[in-house]
Amino acid sequence: MSAQPHSSTHPLLPPTTEDMRADWLRLLRSRRVGIATFYRFLSEYGSACAALEALPKIASNAGLSKYTPCSLEQIKRELRAGAQIGAKLVCRGEYSYPSLLAEIPDAPPMLWVRGNLSALTRPTVALVGARNASSLGTRMARALANELSEAGYVVVSGLARGIDTCAHLAAAKNGSIAVLAGGVDVIYPNENLNLASSMLDEGALLSEQPIGMAPIARHFPMRNRIISGLCSATVIVEAAGKSGSLITARGALDQGRDVLAVPGHPFDARASGCNMLIRDGASLVRNAQDIISILGDNRPSPQVVEDEQMPLRLAESTKPKRSLFETSKLLQRILDQLGPSPIAEDQLLRDIGAHTSKVIPALTNLEMDGQIKRGPGGMISRI
């Protein structure tokens, strides 16, 4: 959906009244309004209310007849459902909204949160991995999560079976955050109901999806970007060559965050993704101290709350990040240089002329997407 340019002198601030919060949620839940469109409308129209008034005309200009925004009654039902389960709606720009998450280009405008809001302002590390984790993998996840938790970090994961579950169990007593693919009241898998409940005192459950929504396949990659976006570093414990954990790792790289991996035996398929990440430049992890030493001065301090409302700064970051356009352009340059005949990686780097720190993650992305393959001796070819 495209909008006509509309100048506005209104500052981009988080909502300060319940009516404004309802308008934000209405705009976000309206058909064909994604995150990028939401932010553009706020910028162009000055408020969600003004954008909602303009939506039917915008839709008509785009060829959509009889378009109506999300109804206020639907939003009231969602807000009542959230209140009934004790969930809080946190808007980007408010003091409780995680500062690291606010830096990513597609940060959720609003999050439903159950549990302890203070967990969202503490130092965080993501710990994810295979659902069908090995015995050694689960032991490693528990050890890492326990030591990181004792060191003052909140462990973030996705509440999935395997590595995620072990990480949450080990860190729950000091605070752990689970990012859900469905509504914040829909625990998946069902076997983790008790675990989720145990996390609410010191940690939190959060989701960008509506209350009551069951998770569907396309929600999991969206969930993964929040896991990595919440954290200064993402640690992969076990992951197959093509897995959701590697999607999280790829998202972390695109967000300009550190990626670390635990090595595994070459014959174990559950370790192939981690070994590939390490080969391509991810930091090798033997214990929690390896993670803590890598984070070093990057460890964030808890936010100091001077005012519950802070200006909403769109597309700002304390770390330089590649735009989606720049990333796409680099990927295409790499593919243009490659053919079915393998060439050496160092030759490719010279031909591309870009910095190694940019090319190596891009090669990992293309390999995970099945567009290139590596052969013996560091040779690379296009599939």
Side-chain angles (χ1 to χ4, degrees):
M1 186 182 290
S2 61
Q4 297 299 318
H6 179 93
S7 61
S8 172
T9 58
H10 296 280
L12 291 170
L13 296 172
T16 56
T17 67
E18 290 306 311
D19 286 345
M20 292 174 66
R21 292 165 72 82
D23 286 340
W24 267 44
L25 199 54
R26 277 189 70 197
L27 181 60
L28 186 61
R29 300 288 189 243
S30 291
R31 185 163 54 100
R32 295 204 176 189
V33 177
I35 290 175
T37 304
F38 175 92
Y39 286 132
R40 190 173 77 249
F41 282 173
L42 276 189
S43 177
E44 291 175 354
Y45 290 91
S47 71
C49 181
L52 286 165
E53 292 178 359
L55 263 180
K57 183 176 180 181
I58 296 169
S60 177
N61 292 339
L64 296 174
S65 60
K66 299 181 180 179
Y67 179 92
T68 56
C70 177
S71 70
L72 182 57
E73 280 306 310
Q74 180 179 333
I75 295 308
K76 287 181 177 178
R77 287 195 296 271
E78 183 174 348
L79 292 172
R80 283 196 299 268
Q84 287 171 0
I85 61 171
K88 297 177 179 63
L89 192 61
V90 178
C91 301
R92 186 179 173 193
E94 293 179 338
Y95 77 97
S96 293
Y97 193 97
S99 57
L100 285 174
L101 184 61
E103 294 178 1
I104 70 173
D106 52 353
M110 311 182 87
L111 291 168
W112 278 110
V113 183
R114 291 172 62 196
N116 192 333
L117 287 179
S118 67
L120 304 184
T121 63
R122 292 169 53 196
T124 47
V125 176
L127 190 59
V128 297
R131 286 173 170 81
N132 62 331
S134 67
S135 176
L136 283 174
T138 56
R139 285 167 53 193
M140 186 65 168
R142 286 194 296 268
L144 291 176
N146 181 65
E147 292 177 43
L148 288 169
S149 178
E150 293 294 335
Y153 288 89
V154 172
V155 173
V156 179
S157 199
L159 204 65
R161 295 184 178 96
I163 298 300
D164 290 21
T165 295
C166 292
H168 289 308
L169 282 168
K173 63 181 181 298
N174 292 320
S176 182
I177 294 173
V179 185
L180 307 184
V184 76
D185 57 332
V186 181
I187 305 304
Y188 178 83
N190 188 63
E191 65 207 48
N192 278 342
L193 273 170
N194 290 337
L195 170 58
S197 296
S198 73
M199 294 168 58
L200 297 179
D201 287 340
E202 298 297 330
L205 310 178
L206 63 84
S207 173
E208 65 180 329
Q209 302 300 335
I211 299 292
M213 175 168 282
I216 57 178
R218 66 183 178 87
H219 290 164
F220 287 92
M222 296 167 64
R223 181 273 309 267
N224 292 347
R225 90 184 191 287
I226 298 177
I227 292 176
S228 57
L230 283 166
C231 304
S232 52
T234 294
V235 183
I236 315 296
V237 177
E238 280 188 336
K242 291 183 178 180
S243 67
S245 299
L246 292 193
I247 294 175
T248 309
R250 179 166 53 188
L253 289 171
D254 287 339
Q255 292 163 354
R257 309 293 166 80
D258 291 318
V259 174
L260 305 87
V262 175
H265 197 283
F267 288 169
D268 188 344
R270 290 168 294 198
S272 60
C274 290
N275 292 341
M276 181 173 69
L277 288 171
I278 294 169
R279 179 199 65 195
D280 293 339
S283 298
L284 186 149
V285 171
R286 301 164 300 172
N287 49 48
Q289 191 54 48
D290 284 342
I291 302 170
I292 294 169
S293 63
I294 288 169
L295 293 177
D297 294 334
N298 291 332
R299 172 171 168 165
S301 299
Q303 299 174 15
V304 178
V305 180
E306 296 179 356
D307 192 333
E308 291 195 2
Q309 304 296 338
M310 295 186 295
L312 176 60
R313 294 181 292 273
L314 306 184
E316 276 195 8
S317 174
T318 57
K319 282 181 144 182
K321 298 189 291 289
R322 291 168 286 158
S323 69
L324 293 178
F325 174 77
E326 291 170 335
T327 300
S328 176
K329 189 175 179 181
L330 176 60
L331 294 176
Q332 191 57 53
R333 283 177 60 198
I334 293 172
L335 290 174
D336 289 344
Q337 291 290 331
L338 294 173
S341 299
I343 66 170
E345 182 176 315
D346 57 354
Q347 180 62 53
L348 175 64
L349 292 171
R350 286 193 292 271
D351 292 342
I352 294 296
H355 196 277
T356 304
S357 64
K358 294 182 178 181
V359 177
I360 296 302
L363 290 174
T364 302
N365 289 352
L366 291 171
E367 187 175 6
M368 288 190 289
D369 285 341
Q371 297 189 63
I372 67 172
K373 65 179 179 180
R374 294 178 184 268
M379 304 295 285
I380 303 175
S381 61
R382 183 170 180 176
I383 298 175

